[in-house]
Amino acid sequence: MLIKGPASTELCDKIADETDEEMVGVRSKVFPDGEVYIKLEGDVEGERCTVVQTTYPNQHLLELYMIQDALKENGAKIIDVVVPYYSYARQDQSFEKGEPISARAFAKRIELQADNFYSIDLHSEKIIDFFSISAENISAMPVLANYSKTKEPDYLISPDEGGIERVKKAADEIGLEWDHLEKKRIDAKTVNIQPKSIDVKGKSVVILDDIISTGGTMKEAAKQLKEEGADEVHAGCTHGLFAENALEKLEEVCDSVFCTDTIEQKSSEVSVAPLIADMIR
Ligand code: R5P
């Protein structure tokens, strides 16, 4: 059975279309005092259940824990947890004394009531090791690469070194050249992109990243490439958080901005449903 997490309803509909899984809805509400409520709308007793629920923003994280508890309470036989966007993944280490490893904290809670865990483009592979149950990170790069082809790019580009493997995978998928820029983070909202020796003059490029949050990284990367003479710059990512007015900010410099439906919104032009459907099959 596919359990339709409130954060990922459209994605679940698409997965159900591809797999013919029986789907169980989840009623959810927030009480006036801010507490979260959920209720499974079907009988899960004795069933293998796959819950699909992104954990952003925070309310959806709480809903996931409650869905897992409801599945246990109501006799689900196996619980597979699919978190298309796993929040807090960027705090995958304790950067300063006194800090938690947030990505590990949530992994420990999820695995208490789960048999298998899956996510898409986890910010860091090491998050998989935080789980003691079976855990898998699925790459969205093949679907993003195929969508990128509609922009007719000459190059795929990673905005930083950390994203090289992802962009390389995407470029290999569609047989394109790839490169990366060098990023230096000044503070939470400011990044400086150093020019790299790629000739983008008169070319069309797609910059691919795992996350767009404030849009600072993408905006600087796009500006840099335009200054170097790129004709068209498109920005794509797996997880479009678009904090504050990030999307509007990016649309000022980029020829287009797109993301997947790991977080559902108007720029979710690429679906990860086929990847999750494959995993379920
Ligand atoms: C960083 O390592 C990530 O891959 C993204 O580049 C980053 O999270 C994007 O954040 P922002 O949009 O706030 O610059």
Side-chain angles (χ1 to χ4, degrees), residues 34-272:
E35 290 190 359
V36 168
Y37 169 91
I38 71 97
K39 183 180 179 187
L40 301 176
E41 292 181 317
D43 184 7
V44 296
E45 184 155 8
E47 301 286 347
R48 174 171 198 154
C49 296
T50 304
V51 52
V52 180
Q53 168 85 339
T54 267
T55 55
Y56 173 86
N58 292 335
Q59 175 191 329
H60 294 316
L61 185 60
L62 297 178
E63 286 166 352
L64 174 63
Y65 298 157
M66 289 178 201
I67 292 168
Q68 289 180 262
D69 197 69
L71 288 169
K72 269 275 175 229
E73 179 64 19
N74 290 275
K77 191 169 79 184
I78 296 177
I79 302 174
D80 295 325
V81 172
V82 181
V83 179
Y85 171 62
Y86 185 83
S87 54
Y88 293 91
R90 286 167 291 177
Q91 184 77 17
D92 61 352
Q93 54 181 291
S94 179
F95 296 95
E96 286 179 23
K97 194 166 160 43
E99 288 181 352
I101 301 176
S102 311
R104 186 183 61 190
F106 298 121
K108 291 295 160 210
R109 174 58 190 84
I110 288 171
E111 72 180 18
L112 287 177
Q113 292 175 312
D115 296 285
N116 301 290
F117 171 83
Y118 303 86
S119 188
I120 305 217
D121 282 347
L122 282 167
H123 180 64
S124 122
E125 277 291 336
K126 83 179 186 207
I127 294 169
I128 287 296
D129 298 331
F130 294 154
F131 288 87
S132 54
I133 57 171
S134 126
E136 191 182 328
N137 184 23
I138 302 166
S139 172
M141 287 301 134
V143 287
L144 273 174
N146 277 308
Y147 183 80
S148 297
K149 278 204 291 196
T150 63
K151 311 292 178 188
E152 301 182 352
D154 298 291
Y155 298 118
L156 294 188
I157 291 177
S158 166
D160 55 29
E161 281 186 42
I164 287 178
E165 281 310 312
R166 274 190 294 268
V167 166
K168 187 171 172 318
K169 191 175 173 79
D172 286 349
E173 180 78 22
I174 53 173
L176 262 195
E177 281 190 63
W178 62 275
D179 206 338
H180 77 279
L181 303 176
E182 283 168 342
K183 176 176 81 170
K184 192 170 169 222
R185 183 167 284 285
I186 312 292
D187 58 39
K189 288 192 171 178
T190 329
V191 289
N192 178 265
I193 308 287
Q194 303 294 330
K196 193 80 177 62
S197 55
I198 43 171
D199 187 7
V200 291
K201 206 164 185 309
K203 304 286 186 190
S204 170
V205 299
V206 172
I207 316 172
L208 286 181
D209 207 351
D210 59 337
I211 301 170
I212 296 178
S213 179
T214 64
T217 304
M218 271 296 180
K219 188 173 178 188
E220 285 310 310
K223 258 170 55 189
Q224 183 62 48
L225 292 165
K226 286 257 166 152
E227 273 166 29
E228 288 178 15
D231 201 26
E232 283 184 34
V233 177
H234 304 273
C237 70
T238 310
H239 312 298
L241 296 170
F242 302 124
E244 297 166 350
N245 59 344
L247 190 53
E248 292 70 28
K249 222 163 65 180
L250 283 176
E251 281 169 346
E252 285 167 15
V253 260
C254 299
D255 293 275
S256 71
V257 183
F258 58 92
C259 62
T260 76
D261 50 3
T262 58
I263 298 168
E264 295 179 354
Q265 58 193 284
K266 71 168 185 165
S267 309
S268 300
E269 291 169 36
V270 188
S271 185
V272 295

